[in-house]
Amino acid sequence: MYNSDLFQGDIKGIAGQEPGHERAAILGPQYLWSGGVVPYVFGSSITSNQRDIILQGMNDFHTKTCIRFVERTTQHHYIEIVSNDSGCWSYVGKMGGKQRVSLDVNGCIYVGTAIHELMHAVGFYHEHCRNDRDNYVTIHYENVMRGYACAFDKDTNWQYVGEGYNYASIMHYGAYSFSVNWGVLETIVPLDTKVVLHEPWEKYEMEHSDTNQINNLYAAECARRH
């Protein structure tokens, strides 16, 4: 999930923002999926086992949020999920037309990773980049790989969508993200010393705060569906 050329490590692009000039902010309504419905197709690289894992991730949305992933028929706007591209990444929000979600067979086929990237696709950023994150974590830039400090840029355009900071969020990276010495030198250290940070791929479902934020952001869109 730590791609050197991508915004914050796994964001390929952001709806309505010029590539290379991304800003971390929850999207405006024009970049949300209409009716809370996200059409999808599986690329030819997706195996039946990979499909089952990704569908488990989608089911977490279906069980806890008003978002619905539906197999694409003729919809113009949709996501294509592949496992033969390099890395784990997604675009944020509805870009328009076909947009890819990459779950590389080498290291990305986990339920937690699928949920994380799909949550990007519906319009969310990283928890540890929230504007209020300094009240909860310390970023040790001295331990961050050269050239990767921007992965920890705070969300200067942050919008409140009903939930406080959650260390356990599916959108929170682990303690050694972009570390010069993984497993030894921490880059994200919680101010609460009892907290242990885990990577998205180590998680199996969204937190209640994640689902609440999705439902709050998509309340108007999902209401249109009924």
Side-chain angles (χ1 to χ4, degrees), residues 22-172:
E22 291 91 351
R23 306 178 305 281
I26 288 172
L27 300 173
Q30 67 270 39
Y31 303 118
L32 302 182
W33 294 87
S34 180
V37 176
V38 185
Y40 71 90
V41 296
F42 287 124
S44 58
S45 59
I46 296 291
T47 66
S48 59
N49 181 60
Q50 293 167 5
R51 179 180 180 275
D52 289 345
I53 291 170
I54 296 164
L55 289 176
Q56 285 182 57
M58 290 181 176
N59 189 59
D60 201 38
F61 285 85
H62 296 168
T63 302
K64 301 170 183 174
T65 81
C66 69
I67 294 292
R68 293 294 176 266
F69 292 93
V70 300
E71 291 188 66
R72 179 188 181 241
T73 51
T74 60
Q75 295 94 333
H76 178 69
H77 307 301
Y78 65 100
I79 61 173
E80 178 192 36
I81 305 170
V82 300
S83 60
N84 62 343
D85 215 325
S86 178
C88 325
W89 51 259
S90 174
Y91 294 88
V92 173
K94 184 182 70 178
M95 300 291 291
K98 179 176 74 171
Q99 65 191 71
R100 182 166 285 189
V101 173
S102 174
L103 295 171
D104 192 337
V105 65
N106 298 307
C108 304
I109 304 296
Y110 298 96
V111 174
T113 306
I115 294 169
H116 180 99
E117 299 304 342
L118 291 173
M119 197 160 164
H120 278 319
V122 301
F124 285 86
Y125 296 85
H126 293 121
E127 190 80 355
H128 54 276
C129 292
R130 282 173 56 134
N131 184 257
D132 60 348
R133 68 103 187 275
D134 290 340
N135 297 325
Y136 302 93
V137 298
T138 299
I139 305 300
H140 285 272
Y141 287 100
E142 71 277 13
N143 295 336
V144 175
M145 290 186 291
R146 184 183 300 274
Y148 287 83
C150 58
F152 299 100
D153 286 351
K154 281 196 293 185
D155 175 357
T156 55
N157 301 295
W158 181 61
Q159 299 176 39
Y160 179 69
V161 285
E163 287 292 331
Y165 197 92
N166 189 342
Y167 293 113
S169 168
I170 198 79
M171 302 311 288
H172 206 302

